[in-house]
Amino acid sequence: LWTDDPLRAVDFYERIVGLTPVRLDEFRRGEAPFVSVRVSATTILDLMTRSAAPVVDAMAGTAGSAGHPVNHVCLAMPESAFQALQGRLEAHGIAVSAPMQQSFGARGLAPRAFYFRDLDGNVLEARYYQG
């Protein structure tokens, strides 16, 4: 995900979304080019500074594709975590979309889901599945 301020972004993802930073100390010491946040044991989101977009474009051979907000990353979680996230977002004044019911996704129908933006305009979806 692209950000103007990786430390502000990691604070948002840790404090409000509830994800754990990865390589934060190394990033602060200048030993890692970006910081990440852990979604699950097998998934992380990289928080890349937007100023690095030209380097990423060159590395990937895709001129002009890097540096734009993402729409969207879906975070599936247990119902209790879903409710806690919604509460933290609202407590911090982060707008959420109208709730969706029976929204189809990777694991079938989710009873409830909503969208929200991070501080850099990237769109995320939160949802939970039964069972």
Side-chain angles (χ1 to χ4, degrees):
L1 300 178
W2 298 99
T3 179
D4 293 318
D5 183 341
L7 294 177
R8 179 191 70 176
V10 80
D11 177 66
F12 172 83
Y13 280 98
E14 180 179 27
R15 194 170 46 86
I16 298 174
V17 180
L19 303 180
T20 303
V22 176
R23 298 188 329 161
L24 179 57
D25 292 336
E26 294 91 332
F27 177 77
R28 284 185 172 142
R29 290 192 305 263
E31 297 168 3
F34 56 89
V35 63
S36 304
V37 289
R38 183 157 301 283
V39 176
S40 70
T42 59
T43 305
I44 61 174
L45 296 174
D46 297 334
L47 304 174
M48 180 70 71
T49 182
R50 210 176 307 274
S51 63
V55 173
V56 173
D57 275 343
M59 180 180 63
T62 55
S65 69
H68 306 286
V70 172
N71 184 333
H72 69 276
V73 173
C74 181
L75 303 172
M77 60 197 71
E79 183 177 6
S80 60
F82 175 89
Q83 292 171 346
L85 171 60
Q86 189 170 21
R88 287 190 307 272
L89 291 167
E90 291 172 359
H92 287 90
I94 306 294
V96 300
S97 72
M100 299 176 297
Q101 296 183 7
Q102 300 305 312
S103 175
F104 183 79
R107 292 174 37 203
L109 293 176
R112 290 184 38 222
F114 63 85
Y115 291 91
F116 64 98
R117 290 182 181 268
D118 72 8
L119 302 177
D120 292 288
N122 296 297
V123 178
L124 295 104
E125 176 186 358
R127 65 172 44 228
Y128 71 90
Y129 293 98
Q130 297 288 20

